[in-house]
């Protein structure tokens, strides 16, 4: 089986390469904008430049059986674009549809699309997780662009007969994770007291290795065709519990102050950081029962195992808040 993987140099793309390299009957063609520093010898690399409506996919999709589309314009907390929705649509909708059309024309039988739980929405009530049957309710330009891409792909699939599979992950973490998760680990590692010792919420996460394993199952399983699957580790944690587990994985004490959640939310709102407070204090749960039932899939790593591998990578080259590098514990 020949697989085209887009976003091969990205966080998820690299994990998918690692997972698929263990398959004897799989040949991987990796499409990238910036060539990864370390690419296994057996991987065929192809540069495609920026993802957009004018990207030329002809060489990349030639003789490909399955496309795994990880490349995207990703969500950021503070977008500098004057029109973020237009920017997301250019990459995540028009760029994705251009790839899909080229793949269908080349005879590709299936496209696996890494979407986002933001298609479902931003939050859930505790004990009422998102499912694949929940009506989409994206709240930001990124989520809207992912929903529009899903709809366009399903329409193209009906038109051409190419199978499409959507995977919607929540927050993805793992070795090499960046952004807010990496910042959280830095502060825990430095022993900074954090005011998150009394957060009673529930958040679903997915380790990058678990996500890559689900991608592998969606590539091959016949029942995955034309389906949507939510990804997750199968265990939900509060922000307080997550910080405690991160501290344990790092070999550090959890210095958590039991500040009332209402005070944190009020202070963050006054400081113009309401979106961050919503992530820290709000709940977002996903139900992975469909993937279990339809695909016979279960996350291979527990949350604690995923955090241990993440912490080990972090400790191999952790930076202090001032940017200086600290090796080891």
């Amino acid at each position: 089986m020949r697989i085209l993987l887009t976003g091969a140099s990205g966080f998820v793309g690299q994990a998918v390469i690692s997972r698929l390299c263990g398959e004897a009957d799989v040949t991987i063609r990796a499409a990238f904008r910036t060539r990864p520093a370390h690419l296994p010898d057996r991987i065929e690399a192809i540069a495609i430049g920026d993802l957009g409506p004018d990207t030329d996919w002809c060489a990349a999709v030639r003789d490909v059986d399955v496309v795994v589309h990880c490349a995207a314009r990703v969500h950021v907390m503070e977008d500098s674009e004057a029109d973020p929705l237009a920017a997301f649509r250019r990459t995540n909708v028009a760029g994705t549809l251009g790839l899909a059309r080229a793949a269908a024309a080349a005879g590709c039988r299936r496209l696996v699309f890494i979407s986002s739980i933001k298609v479902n929405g931003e939050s859930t009530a505790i004990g009422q997780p998102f499912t694949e049957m929940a009506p989409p309710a994206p709240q930001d330009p990124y989520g809207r662009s992912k929903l529009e891409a899903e709809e366009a792909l399903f329409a193209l699939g009906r038109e051409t007969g190419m199978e499409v599979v959507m995977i919607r992950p929540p927050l993805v973490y793992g070795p090499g994770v960046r952004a807010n998760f990496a910042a959280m680990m830095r502060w825990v590692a430095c022993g900074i007291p954090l005011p998150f010792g009394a957060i009673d919420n529930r958040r679903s996460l997915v380790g990058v290795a678990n996500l890559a394993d689900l991608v592998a199952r969606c590539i091959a399983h016949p029942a995955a065709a034309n389906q949507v699957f939510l990804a997750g580790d199968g265990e939900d944690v509060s922000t307080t519990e997550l910080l405690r587990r991160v501290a344990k994985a790092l070999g550090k004490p959890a210095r958590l102050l039991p500040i009332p959640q209402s005070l944190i939310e009020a202070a963050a709102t006054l400081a113009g950081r309401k979106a961050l407070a919503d992530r820290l204090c709000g709940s977002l749960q996903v139900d992975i029962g469909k993937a279990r039932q339809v695909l016979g899939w279960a996350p291979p790593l527990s949350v604690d195992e995923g955090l241990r591998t993440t912490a080990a990578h972090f400790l191999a080259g952790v930076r202090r808040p001032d940017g200086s590098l600290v090796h080891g514990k």
Side-chain angles (χ1 to χ4, degrees):
M1 180 190 302
R2 184 180 293 275
I3 295 171
L4 170 65
L5 172 68
T6 73
S9 59
F11 178 52
V12 174
Q14 291 183 63
V16 172
I17 286 177
S18 296
R19 172 62 180 80
L20 295 180
C21 277
E23 303 287 338
D25 62 341
V26 168
T27 301
I28 304 171
R29 179 180 293 158
F32 57 88
R33 181 179 60 180
T34 303
R35 184 184 177 89
H38 303 289
L39 200 63
D41 292 338
R42 60 177 292 192
I43 305 297
E44 177 189 352
I46 184 167
I48 53 90
D50 290 332
L51 176 62
D54 301 322
T55 303
D56 184 357
W57 293 102
C58 291
V61 299
R62 187 177 298 120
D63 300 324
V64 163
D65 300 297
V66 177
V67 172
V68 178
H69 187 36
C70 299
R73 184 175 192 269
V74 299
H75 173 263
V76 293
M77 293 295 290
E78 297 179 6
D79 202 317
S80 60
E81 287 283 344
D83 188 346
L85 181 57
F88 280 120
R89 280 175 168 159
R90 175 179 174 81
T91 301
N92 296 349
V93 184
T96 296
L97 191 56
L99 166 61
R101 284 176 176 149
C108 178
R109 67 173 179 83
R110 178 174 291 186
L111 186 147
V112 179
F113 178 58
I114 307 303
S115 185
S116 170
I117 198 60
K118 284 178 165 288
V119 169
N120 289 75
E122 296 290 334
S123 63
T124 59
I126 294 179
Q128 299 180 33
F130 284 132
T131 70
E132 292 83 356
M133 296 300 294
Q139 302 296 309
D140 65 10
Y142 174 73
R144 289 173 63 185
S145 73
K146 286 291 191 176
L147 174 59
E148 291 174 9
E150 286 189 14
E151 292 172 340
L153 289 174
F154 275 128
L156 183 68
R158 290 190 296 269
E159 176 188 333
T160 64
M162 183 175 68
E163 300 169 351
V164 293
V165 187
M166 314 301 171
I167 300 177
R168 297 177 187 166
L171 175 66
V172 184
Y173 69 97
V177 67
R178 300 178 182 179
N180 291 335
F181 203 98
M184 174 188 70
M185 296 183 74
R186 284 195 297 272
W187 290 115
V188 172
C190 289
I192 304 298
L194 300 172
F196 306 125
I199 307 298
D200 184 21
N201 62 346
R202 296 294 181 274
R203 304 289 299 191
S204 294
L205 314 171
V206 63
V208 71
N210 287 341
L211 178 56
D213 193 71
L214 179 57
V215 169
R217 187 64 58 93
C218 287
I219 287 171
H221 203 296
N226 305 313
Q227 297 293 324
V228 175
F229 297 101
L230 304 189
D233 285 339
E235 179 186 2
D236 302 334
V237 296
S238 69
T239 298
T240 299
E241 181 64 20
L242 176 62
L243 286 164
R244 286 174 179 155
R245 292 192 185 190
V246 166
K248 182 178 179 180
L250 291 169
K252 301 290 183 179
R255 304 185 189 279
L256 303 178
L257 307 177
I259 306 300
Q261 183 170 317
S262 58
L263 291 181
I264 294 173
E265 293 172 333
T269 300
L270 288 173
R273 304 302 300 272
K274 184 179 184 303
L276 180 59
D278 289 343
R279 288 192 170 200
L280 290 169
C281 300
S283 293
L284 194 159
Q285 296 175 266
V286 304
D287 184 343
I288 62 171
K290 181 178 177 180
R292 293 184 186 274
Q293 181 179 5
V294 174
L295 304 178
W297 179 78
L301 296 180
S302 68
V303 172
D304 286 328
E305 289 169 329
L307 290 176
R308 280 196 293 271
T309 62
T310 306
H313 185 278
F314 175 85
L315 290 169
V318 64
R319 291 184 182 276
R320 296 188 181 95
D322 64 2
S324 58
L325 190 64
V326 182
H327 290 287
K329 299 181 181 181

